[in-house]
Amino acid sequence: MKNRTMRSNRGVWMVTAIAALVTVFVQCMQQPAAAGTDLRGAGYAGAEACRSCHANIYDSYLHTAHNRSTAPANEGTIKGSFERDSNEYYYQPHVKVAMERRDSGLYQVAYLNNQEQQAFRFDLVVGSGRKAQTFLYYQDDKVFQLPVSYFVPMQRWANSPNYPAKQVRFDRNIPIGCFECHSSYIRRTNVSAQDGFRVDHFDQGKIIYGIDCERCHGPAAQHVQFHQANPTEKTAQHIPVQASLTRQQKMDVCATCHSGLRESIKPTFRFTPGAQLSEFLPPDTTKPDPNAIDVHGNQVQLLQASACFENSITMDCSSCHNPHTTERTNMAVFSQRCMSCHQQSGNAFCPKEKELGAGIRANCIDCHMPAKESHVISLQSQGSMQPTPNLVRTHLIGIYPGEGNRFKKL
């Protein structure tokens, strides 16, 4: 009887212990990462920590192009097809790259006369999938671009930017600068030189994908800890507040990525709102012709050259953009923001309404910020003799003759 009671008590204890462990495990899975576990250091909480207080904003942001600017490569994140008859890109009749599933992952495989020459795995996806995606692979502690990208509007594989159109190569080394605008962090371990060029070395897999909350709002560990301990306090503490920043400081947050290609003085991963951008990127002291600025990645310069910006003391990127949600196809939303200044009853409203019709009130954007061809990034799809223009909406707000023809009354 005594043995049976001991066995029964032992069984109850084991069940209780297992239940406790399961409870702790579930709680750990549901709680944000502990302070100090973020790759960037103890000051960072990790984006998931923002969700407990900002659930609606967080869930909306997950679907934005910023959040999806980089991702681990798999069939869920790669837009292109791996199915037969739609998984090949030909450089010449006897030279091709095939996108293939293999036991160890997804690969780009180069063939010469149907004989395999080289094969490298898809490791990273760059691009949200709205326009195009390009793909990277790790080789030891370096990162390289794969030769074939994917052009989403045409649903075709395409030759990757800056690779030759008739030759398969896998050797375009990717520097930290690409990650500074397409991810929130990657751990660089060393810098070396090869053939006169700088080569960055990385800790493979130590990357924070996409542009996360703390990339734009700054380190949030102290902010999260304070508000978890003081849930009734609604005034944000221990984090820069957008409204408290100057106009230039607000612009600088966006300019870390949207002000063109510049070799960083130190990685912009460490830039925080209110800091001096000149400590991270060399100041652009020139004043180039706005019409000569490429539309890819130079949105800040183009906006600052616009009369709308020059004639305002408050306009900044957030005057038109809500970065927490996807609005890019909703011209009416942007147009309403235009008309907060260009009111229909005022002298600043479009004088073309009588000629073009009321439809322009729902779409100021296509006339005054049309899509223009980038000369920095282009993709050559299968069967094309020339690269397909990469159209990017210009942020040089202005008058573009002929763009309003689509609105002319019938």
Side-chain angles (χ1 to χ4, degrees):
M1 182 70 177
K2 181 179 180 181
N3 290 338
R4 190 181 312 136
T5 302
M6 291 177 64
R7 284 197 298 270
S8 176
N9 290 340
R10 194 158 48 237
V12 171
W13 180 87
M14 290 180 66
V15 169
T16 303
I18 291 171
L21 287 171
V22 169
T23 301
V24 170
F25 177 75
V26 170
Q27 288 176 342
C28 288
M29 292 296 289
Q30 292 176 341
Q31 292 298 318
T37 61
D38 191 279
L39 290 174
R40 292 166 288 195
Y44 289 83
E48 184 68 26
C50 304
R51 191 173 203 167
S52 60
C53 292
H54 306 285
N56 291 338
I57 292 174
Y58 181 91
D59 292 341
S60 174
Y61 188 70
L62 291 179
H63 303 286
T64 65
H66 276 109
N67 181 62
R68 294 176 171 178
S69 57
T70 44
N74 55 57
E75 290 200 56
T77 57
I78 298 171
K79 295 292 184 179
S81 173
F82 287 80
E83 300 302 324
R84 202 168 200 174
D85 300 327
S86 58
N87 68 330
E88 297 176 334
Y89 182 85
Y90 278 86
Y91 289 80
Q92 299 180 38
H94 58 289
V95 178
K96 69 178 181 180
V97 169
M99 278 44 73
E100 298 182 359
R101 301 181 184 93
R102 296 189 172 184
D103 291 342
S104 55
L106 305 173
Y107 283 80
Q108 290 196 10
V109 187
Y111 288 92
L112 174 63
N113 294 321
N114 292 320
Q115 298 296 311
E116 181 178 327
Q117 304 296 306
Q118 291 177 292
F120 292 95
R121 191 173 66 184
F122 287 83
D123 285 322
L124 303 173
V125 178
V126 178
S128 66
R130 179 172 69 94
K131 284 188 172 184
Q133 293 180 318
T134 197
F135 311 101
L136 312 179
Y137 71 93
Y138 289 110
Q139 189 171 55
D140 298 324
D141 63 351
K142 291 180 282 190
V143 177
F144 296 89
Q145 185 178 27
L146 289 167
V148 177
S149 297
Y150 190 69
F151 197 22
V152 177
M154 297 184 70
Q155 297 186 332
R156 292 182 183 178
W157 296 103
N159 185 47
S160 292
N162 299 313
Y163 268 131
K166 297 294 183 181
Q167 180 186 3
V168 181
R169 287 172 53 183
F170 290 84
D171 59 351
R172 186 183 178 213
N173 181 255
I174 298 302
I176 195 171
C178 295
F179 292 103
E180 287 176 329
C181 286
H182 287 278
S183 73
S184 291
Y185 179 76
I186 189 169
R187 182 170 294 165
R188 183 169 63 180
T189 58
N190 191 24
V191 178
S192 64
Q194 183 176 339
D195 300 326
F197 294 95
R198 192 192 80 193
V199 176
D200 291 320
H201 301 255
F202 304 101
D203 189 346
Q204 188 173 143
K206 294 295 191 296
I207 181 173
I208 299 174
Y209 298 105
I211 304 301
D212 75 350
C213 308
E214 290 172 288
R215 186 70 202 276
C216 297
H217 291 282
Q222 193 175 1
H223 169 75
V224 170
Q225 290 163 5
F226 175 86
H227 286 282
Q228 285 180 341
N230 301 274
T232 60
E233 177 59 67
K234 301 304 180 184
T235 302
Q237 303 291 323
H238 306 297
I239 199 164
V241 177
Q242 178 81 0
S244 70
L245 300 177
T246 67
R247 183 197 200 192
Q248 188 57 53
Q249 287 172 333
K250 293 175 185 178
M251 296 294 294
D252 284 350
V253 173
C254 301
T256 57
C257 293
H258 293 280
S259 61
L261 299 175
R262 287 179 280 171
E263 189 72 28
S264 58
I265 300 168
K266 56 184 179 182
T268 57
F269 294 133
R270 298 298 179 185
F271 174 84
T272 57
Q276 292 290 325
L277 186 59
S278 59
E279 295 179 8
F280 297 84
L281 294 173
D284 186 358
T285 58
T286 64
K287 191 165 184 179
D289 176 4
N291 294 298
I293 299 175
D294 195 87
V295 288
H296 178 82
N298 291 290
Q299 288 85 1
V300 166
Q301 289 95 325
L302 290 167
L303 176 61
Q304 289 176 331
S306 303
C308 284
F309 185 89
E310 291 179 335
N311 293 330
S312 170
I313 59 172
T314 60
M315 185 182 189
D316 59 66
C317 303
S318 62
S319 300
C320 300
H321 291 282
N322 176 358
H324 297 135
T325 189
T326 300
E327 300 177 325
R328 59 179 174 265
T329 60
N330 195 338
M331 298 300 103
V333 166
F334 288 112
S335 298
Q336 288 168 10
R337 291 168 189 161
C338 294
M339 286 187 280
S340 65
C341 294
H342 298 273
Q343 296 175 8
Q344 193 169 357
S345 59
N347 294 329
F349 190 71
C350 182
K352 294 282 188 177
E353 183 182 22
K354 290 184 179 179
E355 176 187 345
L356 300 178
I360 64 170
R361 281 177 276 173
N363 190 352
C364 308
I365 311 305
D366 281 337
C367 285
H368 297 286
M369 299 177 66
K372 296 291 185 181
E373 180 179 352
S374 169
H375 298 287
V376 174
I377 297 291
S378 62
L379 293 169
Q380 188 161 335
S381 59
Q382 187 71 66
S384 299
M385 299 301 295
Q386 298 294 331
T388 302
N390 176 28
L391 298 178
V392 180
R393 190 170 297 284
T394 182
H395 280 62
L396 181 63
I397 306 168
I399 297 173
Y400 295 85
E403 293 292 342
N405 289 340
R406 72 193 75 188
F407 297 106
K408 283 192 175 179
K409 297 176 181 178
L410 297 177

